[in-house]
Amino acid sequence: PPPYTCTSGTNHVLCMCCLQPMPDRRHDSDLSIPPQMCDICGRAYCHMYWGCRKLDCNGCLGLFKDMDFAESCLSILINENLYESRVLKDYLQSKSLTLRDMLQACCTKLDAGEYACSDSRTHRLSSTSRTCYKCALKNFKDLAYLYRRDIPPDDLPTEVTRRSDCYWGKNCRTQKNKPPHAERFNHICEQLRH
């Protein structure tokens, strides 16, 4: 942590991950002070300031491009659809790509303006935005959908590419809780019915 001694009137904030207090330096003008808050939700986190002490912390605050997403998030990464997420996972494995490789490719396209996600316009999200794990995962899911959409059909198995599009496309609610529906129809498409 940066050298700092709290005075008697110093305000403190709680890290939203480990719930430990830290001096509130979010509005300090010294640019050498590590960030303490997410650029999207504005919540305070101690990971970049002095390292979060929570045992299962995956990096509660960091640069978006450096977030360390758990492999377990792959199971519902695409629209919370188990089947489409498995298609993506199988594709990554077939190309010997990691989740980090996919994140880097998505960040490159995000910075180039080729990809957009929920917070890219309202908060000017970029690969170097400071994000908490929750906000980063939400936006990574949006980018992962676009990455999956852009996989050439020739790189996917025929049982994936021969499916007809669901009328509700990516907005289908049934894809999340009815695995047979998720497997029978393609959900990597826009909504056809309104």
Side-chain angles (χ1 to χ4, degrees), residues 3-158:
Y4 183 76
T5 305
C6 297
T7 61
S8 60
T10 302
N11 286 330
H12 289 76
V13 292
L14 290 182
C15 170
M16 294 288 99
C17 182
C18 66
L19 301 178
Q20 295 299 310
M22 62 180 158
D24 185 359
R25 301 184 72 192
R26 295 174 293 171
H27 305 292
D28 203 311
S29 59
D30 184 353
L31 297 177
S32 68
I33 298 170
Q36 292 180 293
M37 69 183 209
C38 174
D39 289 342
I40 296 171
C41 68
R43 292 189 177 123
Y45 294 91
C46 68
H47 190 76
M48 292 180 85
Y49 187 72
W50 58 27
C52 187
R53 296 179 183 115
K54 186 176 178 186
L55 289 177
D56 61 347
C57 177
N58 288 323
C60 53
L61 183 69
L63 298 181
F64 184 55
K65 67 181 175 135
D66 296 332
M67 293 306 285
D68 189 18
F69 298 109
E71 289 291 324
S72 60
C73 81
L74 259 176
S75 63
I76 59 167
L77 194 59
I78 308 296
N79 296 341
E80 296 179 30
N81 178 321
L82 294 170
Y83 184 78
E84 297 294 356
S85 298
R86 189 173 69 237
V87 168
L88 175 64
K89 182 179 180 181
D90 291 347
Y91 170 79
L92 293 174
Q93 286 176 344
S94 75
K95 299 294 182 184
S96 300
L97 296 170
T98 64
L99 205 53
R100 177 155 304 284
D101 294 331
M102 185 176 78
L103 174 62
Q104 296 310 314
C106 289
C107 283
T108 299
K109 291 194 174 210
L110 175 67
D111 290 343
E114 297 172 41
Y115 281 1
C117 48
S118 16
D119 292 314
S120 60
R121 288 186 183 90
T122 53
H123 296 285
R124 294 188 182 150
L125 181 71
S126 73
S127 63
T128 56
S129 295
R130 296 163 303 215
T131 57
C132 68
Y133 190 86
K134 183 178 178 181
C135 291
L137 182 58
K138 176 182 79 165
N139 285 282
F140 182 47
K141 285 180 176 185
D142 293 344
L143 296 175
Y145 171 86
L146 298 172
Y147 185 90
R148 163 63 183 87
R149 181 199 68 192
D150 289 350
I151 295 174
D154 294 344
D155 287 347
L156 296 170
T158 55

Side-chain angles (χ1 to χ4, degrees), residues 151-169:
I151 295 174
D154 294 344
D155 287 347
L156 296 170
T158 55
E159 63 266 13
V160 172
T161 57
R162 72 174 176 220
R163 299 174 301 152
S164 58
D165 291 347
C166 172
Y167 290 129
W168 307 107

